Amino acid sequence: MKAVQFRQFGPPEVLHIVEIPAPVPAQGEVLVRVHAAGVNYFEVLIRADRYAVTPELPMIPGVEVAGIVERIGPGVDPSLLGARVGVPLFAAGRGSGYAELVAVEAASAIPLPGGLGFNDAVALMVQGLTALHLVRRSPPKGRSVLVAAAAGGVGSLLVQLAKREGAEWVIAAASSRAKLDLALSLGADMAIDYSRADWTDALQAQTGGADIIYETVGGTMTKAALYALAPRGEIVFAALGRFELDQPEMNRMFNLNQSIKGFALLPLLSSESVRRDLTELFDLAIKGRLKIVQGGAFPLHEAAHAHAAIESRSVSGKVVLNP
């Protein structure tokens, strides 16, 4: 079968198609023919060796797929054969999703409801669960919230979930007019261009600052977001490996009774909660209560182009590979 692999760290061009043996489902496993594999920003960072953890090489990236069960291993319910499923590989500590086939435990394959496409299903895995748990980590009801990168895969879902959970005011931060318009169309009450040098001053003048900032970008964005935060407000930091606040900035937070919460998705998950939460997200999507923004679909052999698109921040929503 074909898969995407990299043997050294570097630019998108280090991603290459390789031929490897197809996996064989073991006891309790199913073999899934991949129709969509999600591409995430943290995979871009891993490929460039800019993530919090450096993996062993060679590596086949990819932590979320959707497809059809093509074969079952011993001990698996025969009714799963031919089923449309979503597979959050990350929740089971697995990877190698940029491939034509994956073998996984049958319990990790979550049935997809009719009407939900494969591309939309993968958009609700890493990014959907992240958005869902962010609003649980810091409930937005009755508060003003700022969503960083509001047109991205997480941000576009987070804008909608924050509104559903009763946020009084949702402020979307993005870097272009098209992305700002997208965030407004998803329900944001205000959109602000964070590529402007004075964006935090403008936000403070108009709103007095946000009570909660969901920060998924990291780096200089965290420092800027600090100045968009209201007194007694909180930043929920979900940009693993990209924290850059220094002591003077932390002292400023303390003086204003502000706080920062760490956020890491994996420790919040269990096999039961993943199935339950994805079922909830799938249901919201097929009922039209949660709009999924697709940022581009690429064939497997164009994985480098998919990474380049994400790295350039030229796309909104979810980027997928279609093997």
Side-chain angles (χ1 to χ4, degrees):
M1 71 169 186
K2 291 181 172 61
V4 175
Q5 185 186 79
F6 62 97
R7 293 182 170 274
Q8 64 187 56
F9 299 110
E13 290 74 24
V14 301
L15 297 171
H16 295 288
I17 287 285
V18 294
E19 286 280 352
I20 59 174
V24 176
Q27 178 79 28
E29 290 188 337
V30 295
L31 182 69
V32 177
R33 171 71 60 178
V34 177
H35 285 250
V39 183
N40 295 287
Y41 183 63
F42 70 84
E43 293 160 0
V44 169
L45 297 176
I46 289 172
R47 187 214 69 231
D49 198 17
R50 292 190 287 121
Y51 195 56
V53 178
T54 297
E56 294 184 7
L57 300 182
M59 178 183 185
I60 297 172
V63 297
E64 54 187 357
V65 302
I68 296 175
V69 176
E70 187 169 281
R71 186 176 169 186
I72 61 173
V76 174
D77 183 350
S79 68
L80 278 176
L81 194 62
R84 299 171 67 254
V85 296
V87 186
L89 294 163
F90 61 93
R94 304 281 290 273
S96 303
Y98 291 13
E100 292 180 315
L101 296 161
V102 296
V104 297
E105 292 184 1
S108 298
I110 301 171
L112 300 183
L116 184 68
F118 296 121
N119 289 4
D120 285 348
V122 294
L124 294 171
M125 294 184 193
V126 170
Q127 294 170 335
L129 289 172
T130 296
L132 185 65
H133 280 274
L134 279 168
V135 298
R136 290 177 178 172
R137 182 85 170 106
S138 287
K141 186 175 182 178
R143 308 179 77 183
S144 62
V145 304
L146 172 68
V147 178
V154 173
S156 60
L157 297 170
L158 190 50
V159 165
Q160 299 173 76
L161 290 174
K163 290 294 288 186
R164 282 186 57 82
E165 293 300 316
E168 181 177 359
W169 194 253
V170 175
I171 306 159
S175 59
S176 71
R177 186 67 259 168
K179 291 181 177 182
L180 295 171
D181 288 342
L182 173 61
L184 290 169
S185 75
L186 296 173
D189 300 292
M190 173 183 172
I192 194 159
D193 184 349
Y194 66 63
S195 66
R196 290 172 40 190
D198 65 342
W199 76 271
T200 55
D201 293 335
L203 187 149
Q204 285 282 1
Q206 294 180 66
T207 69
D211 298 318
I212 301 172
I213 297 179
Y214 298 112
E215 218 294 73
T216 59
V217 178
T220 58
M221 178 62 186
T222 312
K223 294 185 178 185
L226 179 61
Y227 294 90
L229 192 62
R232 298 181 298 280
E234 64 184 31
I235 294 175
V236 189
F237 184 80
L240 185 63
R242 305 189 296 280
F243 185 74
E244 293 185 7
L245 291 187
D246 53 29
Q247 192 61 50
E249 291 154 346
M250 297 294 286
N251 289 340
R252 181 182 187 279
M253 292 186 72
F254 301 150
N255 290 335
L256 293 173
N257 294 298
Q258 295 167 333
S259 60
I260 187 162
K261 287 182 179 179
F263 178 90
L265 179 61
L266 286 180
L268 303 176
L269 305 179
S270 67
S271 57
E272 295 80 11
S273 71
V274 168
R275 181 172 290 265
R276 181 178 63 249
D277 291 341
L278 283 179
T279 299
E280 176 184 342
L281 291 168
F282 292 164
D283 184 62
L284 288 173
I286 62 175
K287 289 180 178 176
R289 296 173 183 170
L290 190 62
K291 181 179 179 181
I292 298 166
V293 179
Q294 289 293 343
F298 298 79
L300 195 64
H301 68 271
E302 291 185 4
H305 295 304
H307 272 228
I310 291 177
E311 208 159 13
S312 68
R313 299 189 184 278
S314 62
V315 295
S316 300
K318 186 64 177 179
V319 174
V320 301
L321 300 176
N322 295 137

PDB file of all heavy atoms in Angstrom, residues 95-134:
ATOM      1  N   GLY A  95      -0.740   6.200  15.305  1.00  0.00           N
ATOM      2  CA  GLY A  95      -0.506   7.186  14.262  1.00  0.00           C
ATOM      3  C   GLY A  95      -0.542   6.529  12.905  1.00  0.00           C
ATOM      4  O   GLY A  95      -1.275   5.573  12.671  1.00  0.00           O
ATOM      5  N   SER A  96       0.281   7.058  11.989  1.00  0.00           N
ATOM      6  CA  SER A  96       0.430   6.494  10.644  1.00  0.00           C
ATOM      7  C   SER A  96      -0.851   6.565   9.822  1.00  0.00           C
ATOM      8  O   SER A  96      -1.176   5.655   9.065  1.00  0.00           O
ATOM      9  CB  SER A  96       0.942   5.044  10.720  1.00  0.00           C
ATOM     10  OG  SER A  96       2.163   4.969  11.418  1.00  0.00           O
ATOM     11  N   GLY A  97      -1.576   7.672   9.967  1.00  0.00           N
ATOM     12  CA  GLY A  97      -2.830   7.828   9.255  1.00  0.00           C
ATOM     13  C   GLY A  97      -2.710   8.300   7.822  1.00  0.00           C
ATOM     14  O   GLY A  97      -3.668   8.183   7.053  1.00  0.00           O
ATOM     15  N   TYR A  98      -1.536   8.836   7.419  1.00  0.00           N
ATOM     16  CA  TYR A  98      -1.349   9.259   6.027  1.00  0.00           C
ATOM     17  C   TYR A  98      -1.058   8.006   5.199  1.00  0.00           C
ATOM     18  O   TYR A  98       0.060   7.764   4.763  1.00  0.00           O
ATOM     19  CB  TYR A  98      -0.169  10.204   5.886  1.00  0.00           C
ATOM     20  CG  TYR A  98      -0.273  11.594   6.474  1.00  0.00           C
ATOM     21  CD1 TYR A  98      -1.275  11.965   7.359  1.00  0.00           C
ATOM     22  CD2 TYR A  98       0.691  12.560   6.151  1.00  0.00           C
ATOM     23  CE1 TYR A  98      -1.321  13.234   7.890  1.00  0.00           C
ATOM     24  CE2 TYR A  98       0.643  13.836   6.670  1.00  0.00           C
ATOM     25  CZ  TYR A  98      -0.360  14.175   7.551  1.00  0.00           C
ATOM     26  OH  TYR A  98      -0.402  15.437   8.079  1.00  0.00           O
ATOM     27  N   ALA A  99      -2.074   7.202   4.985  1.00  0.00           N
ATOM     28  CA  ALA A  99      -1.874   5.917   4.318  1.00  0.00           C
ATOM     29  C   ALA A  99      -3.186   5.456   3.699  1.00  0.00           C
ATOM     30  O   ALA A  99      -4.256   5.996   3.990  1.00  0.00           O
ATOM     31  CB  ALA A  99      -1.374   4.882   5.325  1.00  0.00           C
ATOM     32  N   GLU A 100      -3.087   4.447   2.853  1.00  0.00           N
ATOM     33  CA  GLU A 100      -4.284   3.912   2.216  1.00  0.00           C
ATOM     34  C   GLU A 100      -5.071   2.996   3.132  1.00  0.00           C
ATOM     35  O   GLU A 100      -6.291   2.855   2.985  1.00  0.00           O
ATOM     36  CB  GLU A 100      -3.890   3.155   0.945  1.00  0.00           C
ATOM     37  CG  GLU A 100      -3.339   4.058  -0.159  1.00  0.00           C
ATOM     38  CD  GLU A 100      -2.950   3.278  -1.393  1.00  0.00           C
ATOM     39  OE1 GLU A 100      -2.301   2.212  -1.247  1.00  0.00           O
ATOM     40  OE2 GLU A 100      -3.285   3.735  -2.505  1.00  0.00           O
ATOM     41  N   LEU A 101      -4.383   2.357   4.084  1.00  0.00           N
ATOM     42  CA  LEU A 101      -5.021   1.407   4.988  1.00  0.00           C
ATOM     43  C   LEU A 101      -4.471   1.581   6.395  1.00  0.00           C
ATOM     44  O   LEU A 101      -3.272   1.872   6.564  1.00  0.00           O
ATOM     45  CB  LEU A 101      -4.769  -0.031   4.531  1.00  0.00           C
ATOM     46  CG  LEU A 101      -5.345  -0.467   3.183  1.00  0.00           C
ATOM     47  CD1 LEU A 101      -4.630  -1.710   2.688  1.00  0.00           C
ATOM     48  CD2 LEU A 101      -6.853  -0.737   3.313  1.00  0.00           C
ATOM     49  N   VAL A 102      -5.325   1.385   7.395  1.00  0.00           N
ATOM     50  CA  VAL A 102      -4.855   1.345   8.778  1.00  0.00           C
ATOM     51  C   VAL A 102      -5.553   0.186   9.487  1.00  0.00           C
ATOM     52  O   VAL A 102      -6.721  -0.111   9.218  1.00  0.00           O
ATOM     53  CB  VAL A 102      -5.136   2.661   9.543  1.00  0.00           C
ATOM     54  CG1 VAL A 102      -4.365   3.817   8.934  1.00  0.00           C
ATOM     55  CG2 VAL A 102      -6.617   2.976   9.600  1.00  0.00           C
ATOM     56  N   ALA A 103      -4.838  -0.466  10.372  1.00  0.00           N
ATOM     57  CA  ALA A 103      -5.418  -1.525  11.211  1.00  0.00           C
ATOM     58  C   ALA A 103      -5.521  -0.986  12.634  1.00  0.00           C
ATOM     59  O   ALA A 103      -4.540  -0.469  13.182  1.00  0.00           O
ATOM     60  CB  ALA A 103      -4.556  -2.776  11.179  1.00  0.00           C
ATOM     61  N   VAL A 104      -6.710  -1.097  13.222  1.00  0.00           N
ATOM     62  CA  VAL A 104      -6.952  -0.541  14.550  1.00  0.00           C
ATOM     63  C   VAL A 104      -7.847  -1.484  15.341  1.00  0.00           C
ATOM     64  O   VAL A 104      -8.528  -2.338  14.773  1.00  0.00           O
ATOM     65  CB  VAL A 104      -7.633   0.845  14.477  1.00  0.00           C
ATOM     66  CG1 VAL A 104      -6.738   1.849  13.795  1.00  0.00           C
ATOM     67  CG2 VAL A 104      -8.980   0.760  13.780  1.00  0.00           C
ATOM     68  N   GLU A 105      -7.849  -1.313  16.650  1.00  0.00           N
ATOM     69  CA  GLU A 105      -8.779  -2.061  17.479  1.00  0.00           C
ATOM     70  C   GLU A 105     -10.202  -1.706  17.068  1.00  0.00           C
ATOM     71  O   GLU A 105     -10.525  -0.544  16.813  1.00  0.00           O
ATOM     72  CB  GLU A 105      -8.563  -1.729  18.953  1.00  0.00           C
ATOM     73  CG  GLU A 105      -7.249  -2.228  19.512  1.00  0.00           C
ATOM     74  CD  GLU A 105      -7.123  -1.949  20.997  1.00  0.00           C
ATOM     75  OE1 GLU A 105      -8.085  -1.378  21.576  1.00  0.00           O
ATOM     76  OE2 GLU A 105      -6.086  -2.299  21.577  1.00  0.00           O
ATOM     77  N   ALA A 106     -11.047  -2.721  17.005  1.00  0.00           N
ATOM     78  CA  ALA A 106     -12.430  -2.495  16.575  1.00  0.00           C
ATOM     79  C   ALA A 106     -13.127  -1.465  17.454  1.00  0.00           C
ATOM     80  O   ALA A 106     -13.952  -0.684  16.969  1.00  0.00           O
ATOM     81  CB  ALA A 106     -13.200  -3.815  16.594  1.00  0.00           C
ATOM     82  N   ALA A 107     -12.771  -1.406  18.733  1.00  0.00           N
ATOM     83  CA  ALA A 107     -13.414  -0.462  19.647  1.00  0.00           C
ATOM     84  C   ALA A 107     -13.066   0.980  19.313  1.00  0.00           C
ATOM     85  O   ALA A 107     -13.768   1.910  19.754  1.00  0.00           O
ATOM     86  CB  ALA A 107     -13.011  -0.780  21.082  1.00  0.00           C
ATOM     87  N   SER A 108     -11.981   1.182  18.563  1.00  0.00           N
ATOM     88  CA  SER A 108     -11.567   2.541  18.190  1.00  0.00           C
ATOM     89  C   SER A 108     -12.257   3.050  16.938  1.00  0.00           C
ATOM     90  O   SER A 108     -12.116   4.221  16.585  1.00  0.00           O
ATOM     91  CB  SER A 108     -10.048   2.587  17.976  1.00  0.00           C
ATOM     92  OG  SER A 108      -9.353   2.261  19.156  1.00  0.00           O
ATOM     93  N   ALA A 109     -12.978   2.176  16.248  1.00  0.00           N
ATOM     94  CA  ALA A 109     -13.671   2.554  15.015  1.00  0.00           C
ATOM     95  C   ALA A 109     -15.099   2.969  15.359  1.00  0.00           C
ATOM     96  O   ALA A 109     -15.907   2.145  15.789  1.00  0.00           O
ATOM     97  CB  ALA A 109     -13.679   1.393  14.035  1.00  0.00           C
ATOM     98  N   ILE A 110     -15.391   4.247  15.190  1.00  0.00           N
ATOM     99  CA  ILE A 110     -16.673   4.811  15.610  1.00  0.00           C
ATOM    100  C   ILE A 110     -17.584   4.953  14.393  1.00  0.00           C
ATOM    101  O   ILE A 110     -17.217   5.620  13.415  1.00  0.00           O
ATOM    102  CB  ILE A 110     -16.465   6.175  16.285  1.00  0.00           C
ATOM    103  CG1 ILE A 110     -15.553   5.994  17.511  1.00  0.00           C
ATOM    104  CG2 ILE A 110     -17.797   6.792  16.690  1.00  0.00           C
ATOM    105  CD1 ILE A 110     -15.109   7.286  18.139  1.00  0.00           C
ATOM    106  N   PRO A 111     -18.756   4.330  14.403  1.00  0.00           N
ATOM    107  CA  PRO A 111     -19.648   4.405  13.241  1.00  0.00           C
ATOM    108  C   PRO A 111     -20.014   5.843  12.877  1.00  0.00           C
ATOM    109  O   PRO A 111     -20.250   6.672  13.763  1.00  0.00           O
ATOM    110  CB  PRO A 111     -20.885   3.626  13.706  1.00  0.00           C
ATOM    111  CG  PRO A 111     -20.394   2.737  14.793  1.00  0.00           C
ATOM    112  CD  PRO A 111     -19.307   3.500  15.485  1.00  0.00           C
ATOM    113  N   LEU A 112     -20.047   6.131  11.593  1.00  0.00           N
ATOM    114  CA  LEU A 112     -20.436   7.454  11.119  1.00  0.00           C
ATOM    115  C   LEU A 112     -21.925   7.453  10.781  1.00  0.00           C
ATOM    116  O   LEU A 112     -22.413   6.533  10.128  1.00  0.00           O
ATOM    117  CB  LEU A 112     -19.641   7.837   9.864  1.00  0.00           C
ATOM    118  CG  LEU A 112     -18.119   7.896   9.995  1.00  0.00           C
ATOM    119  CD1 LEU A 112     -17.504   8.363   8.674  1.00  0.00           C
ATOM    120  CD2 LEU A 112     -17.702   8.826  11.125  1.00  0.00           C
ATOM    121  N   PRO A 113     -22.634   8.485  11.196  1.00  0.00           N
ATOM    122  CA  PRO A 113     -24.053   8.560  10.848  1.00  0.00           C
ATOM    123  C   PRO A 113     -24.230   8.842   9.358  1.00  0.00           C
ATOM    124  O   PRO A 113     -23.357   9.442   8.712  1.00  0.00           O
ATOM    125  CB  PRO A 113     -24.561   9.727  11.699  1.00  0.00           C
ATOM    126  CG  PRO A 113     -23.360  10.571  11.940  1.00  0.00           C
ATOM    127  CD  PRO A 113     -22.190   9.622  12.010  1.00  0.00           C
ATOM    128  N   GLY A 114     -25.354   8.407   8.805  1.00  0.00           N
ATOM    129  CA  GLY A 114     -25.649   8.712   7.422  1.00  0.00           C
ATOM    130  C   GLY A 114     -25.700  10.219   7.205  1.00  0.00           C
ATOM    131  O   GLY A 114     -26.189  10.963   8.055  1.00  0.00           O
ATOM    132  N   GLY A 115     -25.165  10.661   6.092  1.00  0.00           N
ATOM    133  CA  GLY A 115     -25.165  12.089   5.801  1.00  0.00           C
ATOM    134  C   GLY A 115     -23.906  12.808   6.223  1.00  0.00           C
ATOM    135  O   GLY A 115     -23.710  13.973   5.871  1.00  0.00           O
ATOM    136  N   LEU A 116     -23.045  12.151   7.000  1.00  0.00           N
ATOM    137  CA  LEU A 116     -21.777  12.778   7.393  1.00  0.00           C
ATOM    138  C   LEU A 116     -20.668  12.226   6.519  1.00  0.00           C
ATOM    139  O   LEU A 116     -20.364  11.031   6.542  1.00  0.00           O
ATOM    140  CB  LEU A 116     -21.470  12.497   8.875  1.00  0.00           C
ATOM    141  CG  LEU A 116     -20.214  13.182   9.419  1.00  0.00           C
ATOM    142  CD1 LEU A 116     -20.405  14.693   9.485  1.00  0.00           C
ATOM    143  CD2 LEU A 116     -19.861  12.654  10.812  1.00  0.00           C
ATOM    144  N   GLY A 117     -20.041  13.093   5.741  1.00  0.00           N
ATOM    145  CA  GLY A 117     -18.982  12.669   4.846  1.00  0.00           C
ATOM    146  C   GLY A 117     -17.683  12.378   5.573  1.00  0.00           C
ATOM    147  O   GLY A 117     -17.475  12.793   6.717  1.00  0.00           O
ATOM    148  N   PHE A 118     -16.800  11.685   4.886  1.00  0.00           N
ATOM    149  CA  PHE A 118     -15.512  11.313   5.498  1.00  0.00           C
ATOM    150  C   PHE A 118     -14.683  12.549   5.844  1.00  0.00           C
ATOM    151  O   PHE A 118     -14.062  12.619   6.910  1.00  0.00           O
ATOM    152  CB  PHE A 118     -14.732  10.393   4.560  1.00  0.00           C
ATOM    153  CG  PHE A 118     -15.393   9.065   4.307  1.00  0.00           C
ATOM    154  CD1 PHE A 118     -15.733   8.687   3.021  1.00  0.00           C
ATOM    155  CD2 PHE A 118     -15.683   8.201   5.349  1.00  0.00           C
ATOM    156  CE1 PHE A 118     -16.335   7.457   2.777  1.00  0.00           C
ATOM    157  CE2 PHE A 118     -16.285   6.967   5.124  1.00  0.00           C
ATOM    158  CZ  PHE A 118     -16.616   6.602   3.830  1.00  0.00           C
ATOM    159  N   ASN A 119     -14.628  13.528   4.934  1.00  0.00           N
ATOM    160  CA  ASN A 119     -13.831  14.734   5.196  1.00  0.00           C
ATOM    161  C   ASN A 119     -14.346  15.486   6.413  1.00  0.00           C
ATOM    162  O   ASN A 119     -13.564  15.981   7.237  1.00  0.00           O
ATOM    163  CB  ASN A 119     -13.854  15.651   3.976  1.00  0.00           C
ATOM    164  CG  ASN A 119     -13.054  15.105   2.812  1.00  0.00           C
ATOM    165  OD1 ASN A 119     -12.524  13.990   2.871  1.00  0.00           O
ATOM    166  ND2 ASN A 119     -12.961  15.860   1.730  1.00  0.00           N
ATOM    167  N   ASP A 120     -15.678  15.583   6.538  1.00  0.00           N
ATOM    168  CA  ASP A 120     -16.243  16.271   7.694  1.00  0.00           C
ATOM    169  C   ASP A 120     -15.990  15.489   8.975  1.00  0.00           C
ATOM    170  O   ASP A 120     -15.771  16.081  10.039  1.00  0.00           O
ATOM    171  CB  ASP A 120     -17.745  16.483   7.495  1.00  0.00           C
ATOM    172  CG  ASP A 120     -18.059  17.590   6.494  1.00  0.00           C
ATOM    173  OD1 ASP A 120     -17.136  18.344   6.129  1.00  0.00           O
ATOM    174  OD2 ASP A 120     -19.221  17.694   6.076  1.00  0.00           O
ATOM    175  N   ALA A 121     -16.018  14.184   8.898  1.00  0.00           N
ATOM    176  CA  ALA A 121     -15.797  13.369  10.097  1.00  0.00           C
ATOM    177  C   ALA A 121     -14.419  13.625  10.697  1.00  0.00           C
ATOM    178  O   ALA A 121     -14.292  13.785  11.922  1.00  0.00           O
ATOM    179  CB  ALA A 121     -15.964  11.885   9.767  1.00  0.00           C
ATOM    180  N   VAL A 122     -13.377  13.673   9.851  1.00  0.00           N
ATOM    181  CA  VAL A 122     -12.042  13.887  10.414  1.00  0.00           C
ATOM    182  C   VAL A 122     -11.885  15.298  10.969  1.00  0.00           C
ATOM    183  O   VAL A 122     -11.086  15.529  11.879  1.00  0.00           O
ATOM    184  CB  VAL A 122     -10.912  13.563   9.408  1.00  0.00           C
ATOM    185  CG1 VAL A 122     -10.888  12.096   9.066  1.00  0.00           C
ATOM    186  CG2 VAL A 122     -11.013  14.405   8.157  1.00  0.00           C
ATOM    187  N   ALA A 123     -12.668  16.255  10.455  1.00  0.00           N
ATOM    188  CA  ALA A 123     -12.597  17.624  10.971  1.00  0.00           C
ATOM    189  C   ALA A 123     -13.093  17.717  12.410  1.00  0.00           C
ATOM    190  O   ALA A 123     -12.782  18.674  13.118  1.00  0.00           O
ATOM    191  CB  ALA A 123     -13.415  18.559  10.083  1.00  0.00           C
ATOM    192  N   LEU A 124     -13.861  16.720  12.841  1.00  0.00           N
ATOM    193  CA  LEU A 124     -14.438  16.745  14.180  1.00  0.00           C
ATOM    194  C   LEU A 124     -13.642  15.916  15.183  1.00  0.00           C
ATOM    195  O   LEU A 124     -14.057  15.791  16.341  1.00  0.00           O
ATOM    196  CB  LEU A 124     -15.885  16.244  14.121  1.00  0.00           C
ATOM    197  CG  LEU A 124     -16.834  17.156  13.340  1.00  0.00           C
ATOM    198  CD1 LEU A 124     -18.186  16.479  13.145  1.00  0.00           C
ATOM    199  CD2 LEU A 124     -17.006  18.493  14.048  1.00  0.00           C
ATOM    200  N   MET A 125     -12.513  15.392  14.770  1.00  0.00           N
ATOM    201  CA  MET A 125     -11.727  14.547  15.674  1.00  0.00           C
ATOM    202  C   MET A 125     -10.754  15.383  16.497  1.00  0.00           C
ATOM    203  O   MET A 125     -11.124  15.896  17.556  1.00  0.00           O
ATOM    204  CB  MET A 125     -11.058  13.430  14.890  1.00  0.00           C
ATOM    205  CG  MET A 125     -12.075  12.468  14.314  1.00  0.00           C
ATOM    206  SD  MET A 125     -11.334  11.055  13.468  1.00  0.00           S
ATOM    207  CE  MET A 125     -12.790  10.414  12.631  1.00  0.00           C
ATOM    208  N   VAL A 126      -9.529  15.568  16.065  1.00  0.00           N
ATOM    209  CA  VAL A 126      -8.590  16.380  16.851  1.00  0.00           C
ATOM    210  C   VAL A 126      -9.167  17.764  17.097  1.00  0.00           C
ATOM    211  O   VAL A 126      -9.211  18.262  18.234  1.00  0.00           O
ATOM    212  CB  VAL A 126      -7.234  16.496  16.128  1.00  0.00           C
ATOM    213  CG1 VAL A 126      -6.357  17.537  16.819  1.00  0.00           C
ATOM    214  CG2 VAL A 126      -6.514  15.157  16.110  1.00  0.00           C
ATOM    215  N   GLN A 127      -9.626  18.411  16.041  1.00  0.00           N
ATOM    216  CA  GLN A 127     -10.033  19.806  16.172  1.00  0.00           C
ATOM    217  C   GLN A 127     -11.391  19.951  16.849  1.00  0.00           C
ATOM    218  O   GLN A 127     -11.591  20.842  17.672  1.00  0.00           O
ATOM    219  CB  GLN A 127     -10.001  20.468  14.790  1.00  0.00           C
ATOM    220  CG  GLN A 127      -8.565  20.538  14.268  1.00  0.00           C
ATOM    221  CD  GLN A 127      -8.457  20.962  12.812  1.00  0.00           C
ATOM    222  OE1 GLN A 127      -9.375  20.783  12.036  1.00  0.00           O
ATOM    223  NE2 GLN A 127      -7.310  21.525  12.455  1.00  0.00           N
ATOM    224  N   GLY A 128     -12.330  19.070  16.521  1.00  0.00           N
ATOM    225  CA  GLY A 128     -13.628  19.136  17.177  1.00  0.00           C
ATOM    226  C   GLY A 128     -13.540  18.846  18.663  1.00  0.00           C
ATOM    227  O   GLY A 128     -14.137  19.550  19.493  1.00  0.00           O
ATOM    228  N   LEU A 129     -12.801  17.805  19.022  1.00  0.00           N
ATOM    229  CA  LEU A 129     -12.647  17.471  20.437  1.00  0.00           C
ATOM    230  C   LEU A 129     -11.888  18.563  21.185  1.00  0.00           C
ATOM    231  O   LEU A 129     -12.195  18.856  22.346  1.00  0.00           O
ATOM    232  CB  LEU A 129     -11.936  16.131  20.589  1.00  0.00           C
ATOM    233  CG  LEU A 129     -12.751  14.897  20.193  1.00  0.00           C
ATOM    234  CD1 LEU A 129     -11.878  13.643  20.206  1.00  0.00           C
ATOM    235  CD2 LEU A 129     -13.956  14.701  21.116  1.00  0.00           C
ATOM    236  N   THR A 130     -10.893  19.175  20.524  1.00  0.00           N
ATOM    237  CA  THR A 130     -10.176  20.276  21.155  1.00  0.00           C
ATOM    238  C   THR A 130     -11.122  21.430  21.460  1.00  0.00           C
ATOM    239  O   THR A 130     -11.144  21.958  22.581  1.00  0.00           O
ATOM    240  CB  THR A 130      -9.036  20.769  20.250  1.00  0.00           C
ATOM    241  OG1 THR A 130      -8.075  19.715  20.078  1.00  0.00           O
ATOM    242  CG2 THR A 130      -8.329  21.974  20.861  1.00  0.00           C
ATOM    243  N   ALA A 131     -11.923  21.829  20.476  1.00  0.00           N
ATOM    244  CA  ALA A 131     -12.873  22.928  20.686  1.00  0.00           C
ATOM    245  C   ALA A 131     -13.870  22.594  21.788  1.00  0.00           C
ATOM    246  O   ALA A 131     -14.186  23.424  22.652  1.00  0.00           O
ATOM    247  CB  ALA A 131     -13.583  23.247  19.375  1.00  0.00           C
ATOM    248  N   LEU A 132     -14.382  21.362  21.770  1.00  0.00           N
ATOM    249  CA  LEU A 132     -15.372  20.944  22.759  1.00  0.00           C
ATOM    250  C   LEU A 132     -14.792  20.996  24.170  1.00  0.00           C
ATOM    251  O   LEU A 132     -15.432  21.498  25.112  1.00  0.00           O
ATOM    252  CB  LEU A 132     -15.856  19.532  22.436  1.00  0.00           C
ATOM    253  CG  LEU A 132     -16.978  18.966  23.306  1.00  0.00           C
ATOM    254  CD1 LEU A 132     -18.257  19.762  23.117  1.00  0.00           C
ATOM    255  CD2 LEU A 132     -17.216  17.488  22.988  1.00  0.00           C
ATOM    256  N   HIS A 133     -13.565  20.496  24.337  1.00  0.00           N
ATOM    257  CA  HIS A 133     -12.971  20.477  25.670  1.00  0.00           C
ATOM    258  C   HIS A 133     -12.489  21.855  26.108  1.00  0.00           C
ATOM    259  O   HIS A 133     -12.424  22.126  27.318  1.00  0.00           O
ATOM    260  CB  HIS A 133     -11.843  19.448  25.731  1.00  0.00           C
ATOM    261  CG  HIS A 133     -12.337  18.040  25.900  1.00  0.00           C
ATOM    262  ND1 HIS A 133     -12.619  17.489  27.126  1.00  0.00           N
ATOM    263  CD2 HIS A 133     -12.640  17.076  24.989  1.00  0.00           C
ATOM    264  CE1 HIS A 133     -13.057  16.254  26.982  1.00  0.00           C
ATOM    265  NE2 HIS A 133     -13.075  15.977  25.686  1.00  0.00           N
ATOM    266  N   LEU A 134     -12.177  22.731  25.176  1.00  0.00           N
ATOM    267  CA  LEU A 134     -11.817  24.094  25.570  1.00  0.00           C
ATOM    268  C   LEU A 134     -12.994  24.804  26.224  1.00  0.00           C
ATOM    269  O   LEU A 134     -12.828  25.479  27.253  1.00  0.00           O
ATOM    270  CB  LEU A 134     -11.326  24.890  24.354  1.00  0.00           C
ATOM    271  CG  LEU A 134      -9.875  24.652  23.940  1.00  0.00           C
ATOM    272  CD1 LEU A 134      -9.596  25.267  22.574  1.00  0.00           C
ATOM    273  CD2 LEU A 134      -8.910  25.229  24.983  1.00  0.00           C
TER     274      LEU A 134
END
